[in-house]
Amino acid sequence: MGKVICAGLGPGDPDLMSVRSWRAIEGARHVAYFRKAGRKGQARTLVDGLLPANATEHAMEYPVTTEIHFSDPEYNRLLAAFYDKWAETLAEIATREDVVVLCEGDPFLYGSFMHLYTRLEGRTEMEVIPGITGMSGCWTATGQPITWGDDVLTVAMATLDEDELAARAENTDALVVMKIGRNLPKLRRALERAGRADDAWLVQHGTMPQQKVRKLSEVDGPVPYFSIVLIHGQGRRP
């Protein structure tokens, strides 16, 4: 019997991958990873040069990403069928040998692997290797601590409606907002309503060679979906 091993890859810089994930990947016989159809995929890119030459690759291509709004029942139907299929495939491989699933950031923090994990529980042995989160890589890139003392940190998705984003921003000390992309105009309005817009930073491609760290007020034009907006807490700062 093998097992399903989910390797957290960290925030983007391969040097920030844990030793345990590194060892699992370099010894893998089967490697699975999520990607958008027609793309190599960020997770697969991060392990270039690390996979054994004889490893069998399993590209798990999403049937839909942003083409349909996530509130549409069809979106949920397509993704549920996709996760069902790949849970079945991974479980079958694990009856013979280990299979390593690559996951950017930390698998248990908004990671797609969670949808496979819940389907595989009780069916096969699993190991989840934690990783440094993308948000941690981004707030470190700003050169400022994200929290001090007893600051409260809130993590929100920019996909929330404007009223909810404004309320979350107003009622926290430190703030992380993920999944920016075309949600940026809505997020700007929410931060302005909360009186927090001038304190916000935007980080693109955190820890990677193309990293950009700017005050949100200096950002003009579209930004990638996986950008992160940060507001630092000031609680007990000297």
Side-chain angles (χ1 to χ4, degrees), residues 5 7 9 17-31 46-55 100 102 129:
I5 304 169
L9 301 182
M17 193 185 309
S18 72
V19 174
R20 181 176 291 184
S21 283
W22 188 281
R23 288 174 177 164
I25 295 164
E26 69 177 1
R29 295 286 302 276
H30 291 268
V31 178
L46 290 178
V47 300
D48 273 345
L50 183 57
L51 296 183
N54 63 344
V100 176
L102 307 179
I129 305 173

Side-chain angles (χ1 to χ4, degrees), residues 68-152:
I68 305 174
H69 194 269
F70 61 83
S71 62
D72 189 319
E74 182 65 3
Y75 178 94
N76 293 316
R77 187 192 70 79
L78 289 169
L79 280 182
F82 165 75
Y83 290 124
D84 286 344
K85 170 198 167 185
W86 277 106
E88 192 71 33
T89 299
L90 296 175
E92 195 278 327
I93 295 171
T95 62
R96 309 184 307 275
E97 49 195 336
D98 292 349
V99 53
V100 176
V101 181
L102 307 179
C103 186
E104 300 160 64
D106 181 88
F108 277 1
L109 186 74
Y110 303 109
S112 293
F113 179 73
M114 292 187 294
H115 300 284
L116 297 175
Y117 182 85
T118 56
R119 289 165 167 80
L120 289 168
E121 278 188 300
R123 297 174 60 183
T124 187
E125 183 180 355
M126 287 186 284
E127 177 185 354
V128 179
I129 305 173
I132 295 173
T133 66
M135 70 178 75
S136 176
C138 288
W139 66 54
T140 301
T142 69
Q144 300 180 47
I146 190 66
T147 51
W148 295 80
D150 51 7
D151 277 337
V152 173

Side-chain angles (χ1 to χ4, degrees), residues 157-167 186 190 193:
M157 301 297 108
T159 52
L160 295 171
D161 66 47
E162 185 176 325
D163 289 343
E164 181 73 9
L165 286 169
K186 174 181 61 177
R193 288 171 53 185

